[in-house]
Amino acid sequence: MKDRAIPPALAPAYQRCREVHREHGGASYLATSLLPRERRPHVWAVYAFARTSRDLVDRPRSDPLEALPAWRHAVLATLASDAPPDPAAPPDPAAPPDPAAPPVLTALWHTQRVVGMPGDLFEDYLASLVMDLTVTRYATWDDLRAYMSGAAAALGEMMAPLFGATDPSVRPLARALGEAFHFTTVVRDIAEDLARGRVYLPEEDLVAHGVTADDLARSVASRRPDDAVRSLVTAQVERGLALYEDAGPGLALVDARSRVGLQTAFSLYREILVEVGRHDGNVFDGRVRASRAARAATVARVLRRRGR
């Protein structure tokens, strides 16, 4: 991508995207702050797009079966238009009732053109959200990975050029990294997803560990998993850490100006899985996070490596 300044007229839209990212992004927002200044707004835009889309399903303000198709139409129509929408224009009555939506679309229109992201990546991501409205279980690991190819791998591919990785050889590694990040949240959010009626962990894994959805529900209620559930979650941590091993070679393929930001995101998200391991697989007693000390140590370690 060519590093370009944000046009002043679009600055408020990007600022709104930044607020969405800062409020919800956690480790991702921290890592983005280490990117070159001119690239950060484009990460904010992609994150805000993904978050606004995801909230239509996970935190709906209206019927997601109506709001999600309306949002999909708004996104695709915006990306196909010759000019960005006015973020201050009255909201489209057919669009989802989210005050962030108009500026997100405006920023996304500009980012997509500056970065040159293929439109089918947005289609893939939105299609994965449709699955969340209709699919609540995954029989096998392959089935879950097929879902994550849209829910996560497409986002990884969107982000690659924002980190200066434009060679086609980067594509599979970028998708692998997106998958590793997403699977981290699958493990961390088992309890939250169960409350939404979803179990992302493959049924074949539950069977292998002698665990049922009712066992997971009891773990949520007691905030203390039994040995079988702990074993199941610990196995998922090991699987997630293996995904980071697969994606790791991609860190060397981004440009030097962006490497510290990506390495920080990689380390912080991986640290979440490590922390789940330290909790002996208990993801039911509040959301597991990397501690502030761990975050600070991670950033310091990455910065030291950059200085070598």
Side-chain angles (χ1 to χ4, degrees):
M1 65 171 283
K2 295 181 179 179
D3 294 331
R4 303 173 183 171
I6 300 301
L10 301 183
Y14 278 102
Q15 179 60 28
R16 183 67 184 100
C17 292
R18 179 182 186 177
E19 292 166 1
V20 172
H21 196 181
R22 181 168 52 202
E23 181 180 355
H24 301 288
S28 171
Y29 183 75
L30 174 60
T32 300
S33 70
L34 298 173
L35 289 176
R37 185 177 299 274
E38 66 275 9
R39 296 189 186 180
R40 298 173 200 168
H42 302 300
V43 178
W44 302 336
V46 174
Y47 180 93
F49 154 73
R51 181 71 194 204
T52 301
S53 303
R54 168 61 60 186
D55 282 353
L56 295 176
V57 176
D58 288 348
R59 297 173 177 83
R61 299 172 182 232
S62 60
D63 184 353
L65 291 173
E66 296 180 359
L68 187 57
W71 174 243
R72 175 184 178 278
H73 173 78
V75 169
L76 299 182
T78 294
L79 296 179
S81 65
D82 295 329
D86 180 358
D92 181 346
D98 185 337
V104 167
L105 291 175
T106 300
L108 190 67
W109 179 93
H110 182 253
T111 285
Q112 196 271 340
R113 277 155 177 74
V114 170
V115 178
M117 298 171 182
D120 61 350
L121 296 178
F122 299 94
E123 289 259 31
D124 290 347
Y125 182 76
L126 293 167
S128 73
L129 298 182
V130 174
M131 290 181 65
D132 277 332
L133 296 177
T134 57
V135 180
T136 59
R137 300 287 190 277
Y138 293 88
T140 68
W141 173 235
D142 286 342
D143 291 336
L144 180 60
R145 294 193 84 172
Y147 161 75
M148 291 196 298
S149 72
L155 280 178
E157 193 173 346
M158 286 182 206
M159 290 290 188
L162 301 179
F163 292 88
T166 56
D167 190 278
S169 65
V170 173
R171 183 175 183 267
L173 292 170
R175 294 180 68 85
L177 186 55
E179 185 178 81
F181 285 176
H182 185 86
F183 189 67
T184 298
T185 67
V186 165
V187 176
R188 181 195 66 191
D189 297 343
I190 292 172
E192 292 179 27
D193 290 326
L194 191 65
R196 299 182 180 113
R198 301 186 210 129
V199 178
Y200 287 106
L201 302 185
E203 287 286 339
E204 62 184 6
D205 288 359
L206 270 69
V207 171
H209 289 269
V211 174
T212 67
D214 288 341
D215 294 327
L216 295 177
R218 279 191 288 272
S219 297
V220 173
S222 67
R223 302 173 74 92
R224 296 182 63 184
D226 62 22
D227 288 344
V229 173
R230 288 183 186 275
S231 174
L232 169 68
V233 176
T234 299
Q236 305 311 309
V237 168
E238 293 171 357
R239 171 178 276 165
L241 293 175
L243 292 177
Y244 283 96
E245 290 296 316
D246 292 342
L251 298 177
L253 301 180
V254 304
D255 67 17
R257 299 178 67 222
S258 301
R259 196 165 297 145
V260 64
L262 184 58
Q263 287 177 333
T264 299
F266 181 96
S267 298
L268 288 175
Y269 271 87
R270 186 182 181 279
E271 181 65 24
I272 293 171
L273 287 180
V274 173
E275 194 69 20
V276 173
R278 293 192 187 107
H279 283 70
D280 196 18
N282 187 358
V283 292
F284 304 94
D285 189 22
R287 174 172 282 195
V288 176
R289 305 176 188 272
S291 68
R292 289 185 177 181
R295 290 187 181 197
T298 295
V299 173
R301 184 171 61 252
V302 171
L303 290 173
R304 284 197 301 270
R305 288 175 182 170
R306 183 178 68 170
R308 290 176 183 173

